[in-house]
Amino acid sequence: MVDVFAKTPRYVLKDGANPTGPPVISATADPPSVVIHGFSDKPDYDVFVSASSLELTPYPLVKGFLKNQCELDTDVRRLIVLDPVSPTQACLDATTLQAVLEALRIGSKSVPVSHRLRRDPSSSGYRIEPLACSSPASPLS
């Protein structure tokens, strides 16, 4: 098994007061999910903004926000999509809020990719697929 890593996200884009995220389709057996878009740097969110019709504003992904989100309902799966390039991208890589919070805490440059979101061709939503990651440690720390 090969672990996959991506750059640690440092920004979210907000539409008004709320962070943006892809629409998610949950199977009845899946836990409820909250997913937001995360970006590692300005050029990454600029690409996404240019492909979006929304009025989006960058906002730093701060430890306080992540910690507050992690402390909310623990039965909810909370994910951050990693450097998406378009709101209609077919496949997205994601990680947990906990992994991003830990990466920011220790100053890691990367996070493990723990989930993949695949666009459902019959709807505008994404289905979440967990990936098997054997190591939470980052090779780029």
Side-chain angles (χ1 to χ4, degrees):
M1 170 181 9
V2 175
D3 291 335
V4 178
F5 291 87
K7 294 186 283 185
T8 299
R10 305 210 179 271
Y11 301 93
V12 295
L13 292 176
K14 287 188 170 183
D15 182 18
N18 300 312
T20 64
V24 175
I25 302 167
S26 295
T28 54
D30 289 344
S33 300
V34 173
V35 183
I36 61 174
H37 296 118
F39 300 89
S40 57
D41 207 352
K42 183 178 182 337
D44 299 305
Y45 64 72
D46 283 345
V47 169
F48 185 87
V49 168
S50 69
S52 176
S53 61
L54 299 174
E55 294 283 331
L56 302 173
T57 306
Y59 188 78
L61 189 56
V62 294
K63 294 177 194 175
F65 169 78
L66 292 171
K67 189 170 189 287
N68 290 340
Q69 292 297 306
C70 289
E71 291 173 353
L72 294 175
D73 187 356
T74 56
D75 293 333
V76 174
R77 176 174 48 190
R78 297 180 189 282
L79 302 175
I80 298 180
V81 173
L82 302 164
D83 289 328
V85 296
S86 163
T88 58
Q89 197 171 329
C91 186
L92 302 165
D93 288 338
T95 193
T96 64
L97 260 69
Q98 294 89 346
V100 174
L101 182 59
E102 180 63 11
L104 292 172
R105 186 186 72 73
I106 64 172
S108 177
K109 295 178 183 175
S110 62
V111 292
V113 175
S114 58
H115 293 77
R116 185 144 296 134
L117 283 71
R118 295 194 189 276
R119 191 169 184 83
D120 184 326
S122 64
S123 74
S124 62
Y126 288 83
R127 297 199 184 277
I128 300 172
E129 303 171 357
L131 301 178
C133 291
S134 63
S135 170
S138 166
L140 301 176
S141 291

